[in-house]
Amino acid sequence: MNQMEDFDLQTKNAIGPWTLFTGILLIAVVAYLALLQVANYVTEHSTEHYKSMGAAEVLTNYMERNEGKWPTKWDDIAEFMGDREYSGIGTYANLQEYVEIDFDFVPASVDLTEEEHDNPSFECVRMRSGRKIEGGWNANNMVLAYLVRKSKGQ
C-alpha cells in the first residue's frame, strides 16, 4: 500500500465513528423532544380535566347558594368566589383563564329526561384551549348531574 491509500483508509475510519456518533446523538435529541411533547400534552390534558371539574364545583356551589340560578356574568362568579380557592381550579383568575362559561344558559330549560341526561351535546362550560373534555366527570357532566339530582329533590 502506498502512503496515499494509507491516508484515505485512516480518514475513512476517522469519519465513520463521528458520523455514527452524530447520527445517534441527533436521534436521541429528536426522541427527547418528542417525549417532551407527549408529556406536555398529557399534563395539559390532565390539568384541563381537573380545571373542568373545579369549574363545575364552583358553578354547582353557586347555584346551590343562589336558589338554582345560573351566573349571568363573570362578576357574579368573582363576587361569589372572593378569595376562596377551589380544588382543581384554584382561584377566580385561574377559572377565567382556563374556562369559558355560557352565561346565557338557563338551567330550567334543560329537559332532564334520561335521554337528555345521557346526551353528550349538553354544554354550558368549555375549555378556552378548544379541547373537549370527553368522558368521565367534567364540568358539563357534573352540572347536568347536579340538575338531575335537584329535579328529583335530592
Side-chain angles (χ1 to χ4, degrees), residues 25-102:
L25 184 62
L26 182 62
I27 289 169
V29 168
V30 169
Y32 175 73
L33 292 175
L35 184 63
L36 282 179
Q37 288 291 336
V38 169
N40 185 44
Y41 173 80
V42 169
T43 301
E44 189 64 27
H45 191 73
S46 176
T47 297
E48 285 188 336
H49 189 82
Y50 286 113
K51 300 277 186 209
S52 172
M53 291 171 59
E57 182 183 359
V58 170
L59 291 167
T60 56
N61 285 343
Y62 180 92
M63 287 189 293
E64 189 68 27
R65 292 193 179 108
N66 289 283
E67 300 168 357
K69 293 178 186 161
W70 188 254
T72 59
K73 58 190 176 293
W74 279 110
D75 290 343
D76 295 345
I77 295 172
E79 185 179 316
F80 172 73
M81 286 182 74
D83 292 335
R84 286 187 303 244
E85 287 196 21
Y86 280 79
S87 60
I89 200 70
T91 64
Y92 169 74
N94 288 341
L95 178 70
Q96 203 170 22
E97 178 183 347
Y98 280 91
V99 176
E100 292 178 4
I101 298 171
D102 179 359

Side-chain angles (χ1 to χ4, degrees), residues 56 60 63 70 105 107 110-124 137-151:
T60 56
M63 287 189 293
W70 188 254
F105 173 67
V110 178
D111 178 10
L112 296 174
T113 65
E114 192 64 34
E115 294 81 23
E116 180 66 31
H117 181 61
D118 291 334
N119 186 349
S121 66
F122 176 84
E123 188 176 68
C124 56
W137 285 104
N138 62 55
N140 294 304
N141 290 348
M142 292 172 73
V143 168
L144 189 56
Y146 169 83
L147 294 174
V148 168
R149 279 193 318 274
K150 283 302 183 184
S151 73

